[in-house]
Amino acid sequence: TFDELDATACEVIEGSIPHDFPSGAYLRIGPNPRWVRPLSTYHWFDGDGMVHQVRFADGAAQYSNRWVRTGKFVAEDRLQFPLFGGLAAEKNLLMLTYHFLLNLVSKDLVPPLAGAPLNGNCNTNLVRFAGKVLALQELSMPYELD
């Protein structure tokens, strides 16, 4: 989904959630496509990170989700346009040239984001560390979730 959803009641299809089921939340992260990039094909590694949560309490469950607001996400959100070629973008010289020029131009279009790198989409894993939940991906530093 492209939209962030606030807490929405989950319908139990079969059986029921026991009333004494422990309260808490199940979190997962994954890549969600946000933009159709011109001259490019989509690879699922390219999707921006979206955290999905199912919260359990009092025999009921609610679903919500949120984008991980990386430097890349914020920059593209400001322009409402994809700035970076994806994993499958550089398949021919035309695509390579387009994404190279777009990356050059984007540095002037987007003001610096307090030193936040513009690469990485934090769509791979979640960890709890020192009482904080961090979104991870191999290309960037962790992002703390609130």
Side-chain angles (χ1 to χ4, degrees), residues 8-118:
T8 304
C10 295
E11 178 185 353
V12 177
I13 303 297
E14 186 176 317
S16 64
I17 300 170
H19 284 283
D20 60 350
F21 190 80
S23 294
Y26 169 74
L27 299 172
R28 71 166 293 276
I29 194 167
N32 277 36
R34 200 158 168 251
W35 305 104
V36 175
R37 288 169 169 78
L39 305 175
S40 184
T41 55
Y42 175 74
H43 187 282
W44 63 274
F45 285 179
D46 299 333
D48 287 295
M50 181 173 271
V51 178
H52 304 268
Q53 171 183 265
V54 178
R55 180 169 293 284
F56 296 94
D58 302 321
Q62 293 184 324
Y63 169 82
S64 60
N65 63 9
R66 293 288 181 269
W67 292 105
V68 179
R69 283 168 170 70
T70 61
K72 173 187 169 298
F73 179 96
V74 171
E76 291 180 337
D77 196 55
R78 285 182 184 167
L79 293 177
Q80 289 297 297
F81 189 80
L83 293 175
F84 305 97
L87 186 67
E90 288 75 29
K91 287 191 173 179
N92 65 45
L93 185 57
L94 179 61
M95 287 186 211
L96 180 63
T97 304
Y98 169 80
H99 289 292
F100 174 77
L101 292 174
L102 186 58
N103 286 337
L104 277 179
V105 171
S106 69
K107 291 177 178 67
D108 295 327
L109 295 175
V110 180
L113 300 168
L118 295 181

